[in-house]
Amino acid sequence: MTAATAALDFPFANPSNLHDRVFLPRLAQIRETEPVIFSEQQGGWLLTKHADVIAAFSDQRLSARRLHVAQFHAIPEAERAAVIPNLIKYIPNWIINIDDDQHQRVRKLVIKAFSRKVVEAMRPAVDRACDELIAKAIAKGECDFIEEIAFPLPASVICNLLGVPEQYMDPLRIWARDMTIALASAHPPRELLLAAENTMKEMNELFIGEFAKRRQNPGSDLLTALVQAHEDGETLSDEELLGLCHVLIVAGHDTTANSLALGLVALVNHPEQRERYLNNEVDGMQAMSELLRYVAMASTQIRITRAPVTYGGKEIPPGQVVFLMIAAANRDPLVFENPNELIFGRPKIEASCTFAPGTHHCLGHFLARMELDTLYRKLFARAKVEVLSQDLQFTPNYAFRGLEALPVRLSPR
């Protein structure tokens, strides 16, 4: 590594480096100076240009099967079967961690279950959850927006979506946080992997029982749709069903909670854009896409090279960790004019990388944006919102950036 390259490198996992005023300018500096760079701090290659990130998401030489190289690194391979049996059994076969024919087969079955019709049927439940949480928060006046609204809303939505009792809301939030913290980094330490192993055992106990209930008494929820999913004689095994439930909890909770909090800060700090959005001068779903681009909650996804690849004139050998830097790509001025500004109605917002374009495009993108849109419209209609501190602290999760707390004052209108 040259001195110039070393000067650009910085540790993502340090929460102080994840603040907007540090993280985003530093990524911009890398993108404009050395857009393909090997990071000693991260132990892998960073792709920061929009064109490279878009290409990499569809590059079959880059594998989503990253766990044997990265996530399980802290535990010797000979010990894994005894120490983290559930992690090594299920996580390598999560839909976000598989490639080629296996990925196509599972995705084809899941798309049928996770249809637009299923998501649209969630609107009344999302409305009710928003109404209840907003009313409680307004009654308190001053509160932590994350604790009172951002965390419980997606937990309630996921419980309703899956058709599991709301008594699991609090455990679900803990499960999501444990799994996200352990698996969002490239090289999680042993203690985090052990905590994730215990969490997965608890999740499996719940869902194995729920599968049996759906087979005896089918309902109209997503779990029933997944249990009944079939295509050309193919169905999902219990192992695949469990893996999909794990992903729904992990990908559907903390990511949405983080987006809700970061998005609220952005809306409060941009009153003109907020009013354009609330007055329906722009399409709501497109506005949420722009909000997510701007707040950069989704900062990266990890891939492993399974063949030599060349980006930016640099050859990356097989077996290397590659970080597809969504946060940098989404602020590339070659694609987005005035990329550091929040502009609802922005042209080319469909070029956003937030939901991982390509073969692993996020199945929950519509539900996530619908939750944000519903919550913000109801909240600003019923309350004047003040963020009580701009000195916000980020969690040590660089893949999905989030805040430790968001103190707000909600005054009824």
Side-chain angles (χ1 to χ4, degrees), residues 8-244:
L8 293 173
D9 205 1
F10 70 111
F12 294 171
N14 185 334
S16 64
N17 287 336
L18 291 174
H19 197 285
D20 289 2
R21 62 176 175 261
V22 177
F23 189 66
L24 298 173
R26 198 66 172 273
L27 288 181
Q29 184 183 13
I30 294 171
R31 186 187 60 238
E32 302 308 318
T33 305
E34 194 169 351
V36 179
I37 183 175
F38 183 80
S39 168
E40 296 281 359
Q41 297 281 358
Q42 315 317 108
W45 295 82
L46 310 185
L47 303 185
T48 56
K49 279 195 170 184
H50 185 275
D52 289 341
V53 171
I54 285 286
F57 269 122
S58 297
D59 193 333
Q60 298 302 306
R61 298 168 300 173
L62 296 175
S63 174
R65 292 189 179 278
R66 60 193 183 274
L67 299 166
H68 65 290
V69 177
Q71 259 76 15
F72 299 156
H73 182 76
I75 297 177
E77 188 170 357
E79 298 180 24
R80 292 174 191 170
V83 176
I84 51 170
N86 285 286
L87 295 188
I88 64 173
K89 179 177 182 179
Y90 294 103
I91 295 181
N93 292 306
W94 282 3
I95 191 171
I96 59 175
N97 294 333
I98 56 179
D99 300 317
D100 306 327
D101 292 346
Q102 184 185 10
H103 178 261
Q104 292 176 21
R105 172 185 165 275
V106 174
R107 188 177 180 91
K108 196 172 185 179
L109 289 165
V110 174
I111 284 176
K112 282 181 167 290
F114 209 93
S115 67
R116 180 73 171 262
K117 180 180 178 181
V118 172
V119 175
E120 286 290 352
M122 288 294 300
R123 282 190 183 273
V126 174
D127 282 339
R128 287 194 301 272
C130 288
D131 290 339
E132 293 173 5
L133 293 169
I134 290 170
K136 291 178 182 178
I138 290 175
K140 289 189 174 183
E142 292 187 11
C143 66
D144 178 2
F145 176 81
I146 293 175
E147 189 63 29
E148 297 298 328
I149 295 178
F151 275 177
L153 176 59
S156 174
V157 170
I158 291 171
C159 283
N160 194 289
L161 179 67
L162 293 173
V164 300
E166 289 210 350
Q167 71 191 61
Y168 290 107
M169 274 183 57
D170 287 338
L172 185 149
R173 291 164 60 186
I174 296 170
W175 294 341
R177 175 54 58 90
D178 287 350
M179 296 297 290
T180 302
I181 290 175
L183 301 174
S185 63
H187 301 286
R190 184 186 182 96
E191 60 269 20
L192 290 183
L193 291 173
L194 295 179
E197 170 69 18
N198 290 330
T199 291
M200 184 167 284
K201 286 194 291 187
E202 294 179 5
M203 285 194 286
N204 288 351
E205 289 173 3
L206 163 65
F207 286 115
I208 287 171
E210 293 296 324
F211 297 156
K213 292 178 185 177
R214 297 312 185 283
R215 290 184 175 114
Q216 290 184 342
N217 298 294
S220 58
D221 52 69
L222 181 61
L223 272 190
T224 298
L226 290 172
V227 167
Q228 295 181 338
H230 60 88
E231 177 76 19
D232 298 330
E234 294 277 1
T235 59
L236 294 165
S237 66
D238 275 4
E239 288 76 13
E240 290 170 332
L241 287 168
L242 285 170
L244 288 166

Side-chain angles (χ1 to χ4, degrees), residues 306-325:
R306 51 181 175 181
V309 298
T310 300
Y311 284 97
K314 295 184 179 180
E315 183 173 302
I316 304 174
Q320 295 284 297
V321 178
V322 180
F323 293 84
L324 281 56
M325 297 307 301

